[in-house]
Amino acid sequence: MIIYQITLAQLFCLGMNVPEALKLIEEKFLRRSLSPIERLILSESWMGKTYSEISQKSAYANDYVKEVGGRLWQELSEAMGTKVSKKNLKLVLKSRQQIPLTAPPVQKLATFAGNSFNPNDGSNIELPGSPIPINSPFYIERPPIEDIGYNELQQPGCVVRIKAPRKMGKSSLLNRMLTQAVDWGYSTVYLNFLEVDADTFNSLEQLVRWFCANASKQLKIPPKLDEYWDIDLGTKVSCRLYFEEYLFITKDTPIVIAMNEVNRLFEYPVIASDFLPMLRSWHELSKHNQLWENLRLIVVHSTEVYVPLQLHQSPFNVGLVLKLPQFTPPQVQVLALRYELSWAAGESGLKRLEGLISMVGGHPYLVQLAFYTISKSGISLENLIKNARQPDGIYSSHLRDLLVTIQQDSSLYLALNKVLKSDKGVPLEAITAYKLESLGLINFEDNLAKIGCDLYRLYFLEQLSNRPPAKTEG
């Protein structure tokens, strides 16, 4: 690799821009990756913006921007050996000499979080489809979502809701939030509703006791449900007392309870109409009860809630909502470079990626599967796109699984056909829309359903025209 020696003064003469400044700060001075909010503060400070202007432009509170900014300037001051602030950032950088830069300006990912990375070593590349490991280079942040979620998790009695269709990265984000909570010294509980036996949904009491027993075990506290359960007081009150008089007393740190795949509960509306208001009542208790301030809830689900609830009963109209968007084209490019696909660099690389983005949008799983396949097999991007939906294409298994689901339910079959035949979007019945959205097959614009991407449109136009639906389940 060629190393060029160039002074910062020369860079300024050449017209140093914000990305170059951030690169220098990360590689030369801090020797770490900047967080999304740190990048935002540095970028806007470089342009002369105030904290108030940065706050107004972003989703961050003004006080939080100031707090992060203060820590950042202190760290930079220590790294550079001189006081650094918003006002003198350019001047301090300009005074530094002999900053090494690489050429061409495409940084190869040699290490990540202390672990060596080689895309040709299959042991270091995770097969897409599962939550991305915490130290993986293949996790792509979607600023400012991560920082907003971390900040909210520190608020007493908070409710954070992560919402997105399947395979959009909900569990990967959840795992990072839980890891951050552990780093803060919080206690954590992870509950996946896909693990709940069907019989447990027969009654509210069975579900709530499952909830409490699992929480106890993960907090490493012996379950003592029978000692605190009072049939005369009812299930929800018994559960509240179990937390107040046992779990909260035993733990003196905030407790984060993360509930994944909560959308499964929506399939049992009678149970959901009792369980979900109970969660809402806990959030309300945190406003005037110090014990409940220590509870932090994270609720993860795939779609909008179709269980009918009164506004004052629903946990889905309080707290913070994190809606995971698809990757932007620059984020798709970053992921390609992390797979060391050098042809994806620069403007020409972004142009070459347009074919993939046109086909699958910025769907995280579909994009990652493409780059994984290219890095493992050496197939060209163009041939991969050409054969994508063929029986031997990389998406064939994914598409067949979706097709089987659609074929087994005539209501889904008819609804998806309706969506495919419309360019402007169509209204759909709530439960059918929920199922199609949770599969990632449709998106909504102004309450109208549209097909998720060209890959799905072309595949299902061809397949559904040749196959009759099965009888509707149930």
Side-chain angles (χ1 to χ4, degrees):
M1 180 180 293
I2 302 173
I3 302 292
Y4 293 90
Q5 297 290 336
I6 185 168
T7 67
L8 273 169
Q10 291 172 313
L11 277 174
F12 274 85
C13 293
L14 293 172
M16 185 181 185
N17 57 30
V18 172
E20 291 169 333
L22 296 178
K23 180 181 176 68
L24 286 170
I25 289 170
E26 286 184 324
E27 295 185 358
K28 177 65 178 178
F29 300 114
L30 296 185
R31 298 185 183 279
R32 66 170 176 81
S33 296
L34 293 163
S35 70
I37 188 172
E38 289 174 332
R39 297 182 71 86
L40 176 66
I41 290 172
L42 285 169
S43 300
E44 296 300 308
S45 296
W46 189 268
M47 306 303 293
K49 302 296 184 182
T50 65
Y51 283 136
S52 178
E53 289 171 325
I54 296 172
S55 176
Q56 291 174 4
K57 183 177 180 180
S58 67
Y60 299 109
N62 190 42
D63 289 345
Y64 183 57
V65 173
K66 289 181 179 179
E67 178 186 344
V68 175
R71 293 198 302 265
L72 181 59
W73 304 130
Q74 181 177 352
E75 186 178 357
L76 279 170
S77 298
E78 294 173 355
M80 294 184 179
T82 188
K83 183 174 176 57
V84 182
S85 67
K86 288 174 80 282
K87 294 182 179 180
N88 73 352
L89 176 62
K90 284 187 178 181
L91 183 62
V92 173
L93 281 179
K94 189 174 181 179
S95 69
R96 300 290 157 159
Q97 301 293 315
Q98 299 300 313
I99 305 299
L101 293 178
T102 60
V106 179
Q107 180 186 6
K108 287 193 174 184
L109 188 65
T111 61
F112 189 90
N115 297 322
S116 63
F117 167 66
N118 178 359
N120 297 316
D121 178 1
S123 64
N124 285 324
I125 303 184
E126 308 93 28
L127 178 66
S130 300
I132 298 175
I134 294 298
N135 289 329
S136 171
F138 303 118
Y139 180 80
I140 301 297
E141 289 192 337
R142 283 169 267 190
I145 286 174
E146 286 83 1
D147 277 334
I148 292 176
Y150 299 151
N151 184 52
E152 185 66 19
L153 203 55
Q154 298 178 73
Q155 308 309 311
C158 71
V159 176
V160 179
R161 179 157 59 100
I162 303 174
K163 174 186 176 294
R166 287 174 53 194
K167 296 185 180 295
M168 284 288 289
K170 300 186 298 300
S171 295
S172 296
L173 173 59
L174 173 61
N175 289 345
R176 280 153 181 78
M177 292 183 69
L178 290 175
T179 298
Q180 182 63 73
V182 171
D183 288 344
W184 291 330
Y186 295 0
S187 300
T188 60
V189 174
Y190 173 79
L191 303 173
N192 189 333
F193 278 71
L194 291 180
E195 296 178 349
V196 182
D197 295 337
D199 290 346
T200 303
F201 289 108
N202 286 338
S203 72
L204 177 66
E205 181 171 6
Q206 285 180 273
L207 180 62
V208 170
R209 287 178 69 92
W210 171 89
F211 185 96
C212 291
N214 275 273
S216 301
K217 285 189 173 295
Q218 291 190 39
L219 293 171
K220 295 181 171 54
I221 301 171
K224 295 184 179 180
L225 275 69
D226 291 336
E227 295 182 27
Y228 292 88
W229 224 257
D230 189 328
I231 191 171
D232 294 324
L233 292 177
T235 298
K236 288 185 279 189
V237 172
S238 293
C239 181
R240 174 172 61 79
L241 293 176
Y242 186 75
F243 272 81
E244 288 179 348
E245 299 177 4
Y246 184 49
L247 296 188
F248 289 154
I249 299 300
T250 308
K251 291 288 182 179
D252 58 0
T253 60
I255 298 174
V256 179
I257 298 182
M259 291 167 279
N260 203 356
E261 299 289 353
V262 173
N263 39 284
R264 187 183 177 201
L265 185 61
F266 304 160
E267 299 171 15
Y268 302 86
V270 174
I271 303 300
S273 62
D274 274 322
F275 184 83
L276 295 175
M278 181 182 73
L279 301 181
R280 169 64 179 260
S281 70
W282 293 353
H283 173 70
E284 298 293 341
L285 280 170
S286 70
K287 297 178 180 179
H288 56 80
N289 186 316
Q290 284 189 323
L291 278 176
W292 287 92
E293 286 183 356
N294 274 338
L295 183 65
R296 320 290 160 88
L297 296 177
I298 307 177
V299 181
V300 183
H301 59 104
S302 298
T303 61
E304 293 296 349
V305 185
Y306 69 83
V307 177
L309 296 170
Q310 298 294 323
L311 286 177
H312 68 279
Q313 295 179 319
S314 175
F316 299 108
N317 58 4
V318 295
L320 173 72
V321 181
L322 299 176
K323 294 184 178 181
L324 294 185
Q326 295 195 351
F327 289 157
T328 63
Q331 288 167 345
V332 172
Q333 184 180 40
V334 168
L335 182 59
L337 293 175
R338 290 189 180 178
Y339 276 95
E340 291 207 339
L341 304 178
S342 58
W343 52 259
E347 291 297 324
S348 61
L350 195 58
K351 184 75 174 175
R352 190 173 175 185
L353 288 167
E354 286 180 355
L356 177 66
I357 296 170
S358 176
M359 180 176 67
V360 301
H363 192 292
Y365 168 71
L366 300 180
V367 168
Q368 189 177 22
L369 184 58
F371 296 150
Y372 171 86
T373 304
I374 293 171
S375 69
K376 294 284 283 185
S377 69
I379 186 176
S380 71
L381 177 65
E382 290 72 22
N383 283 335
L384 181 144
I385 293 172
K386 181 180 178 181
N387 299 317
R389 69 179 194 278
Q390 300 304 316
D392 59 347
I394 66 167
Y395 299 123
S396 59
S397 177
H398 173 68
L399 293 170
R400 281 196 302 271
D401 288 345
L402 291 172
L403 179 61
V404 169
T405 301
I406 297 302
Q407 283 294 117
Q408 289 176 343
D409 190 326
S410 62
S411 64
L412 298 184
Y413 176 98
L414 295 172
L416 186 59
N417 255 318
K418 187 178 178 182
V419 172
L420 289 168
K421 293 176 181 177
S422 173
D423 294 328
K424 297 181 179 180
V426 296
L428 294 178
E429 183 269 334
I431 295 180
T432 301
Y434 140 72
K435 291 179 179 179
L436 289 177
E437 188 186 14
S438 68
L439 292 170
L441 285 172
I442 61 172
N443 300 320
F444 279 93
E445 295 181 18
D446 299 324
N447 294 320
L448 298 178
K450 294 185 176 181
I451 197 68
C453 62
D454 278 351
L455 176 69
Y456 294 156
R457 179 178 61 83
L458 294 172
Y459 178 79
F460 284 101
L461 275 174
E462 177 182 349
Q463 295 295 324
L464 298 189
S465 63
N466 300 323
R467 298 169 182 252
K471 292 183 179 180
T472 304
E473 291 181 334

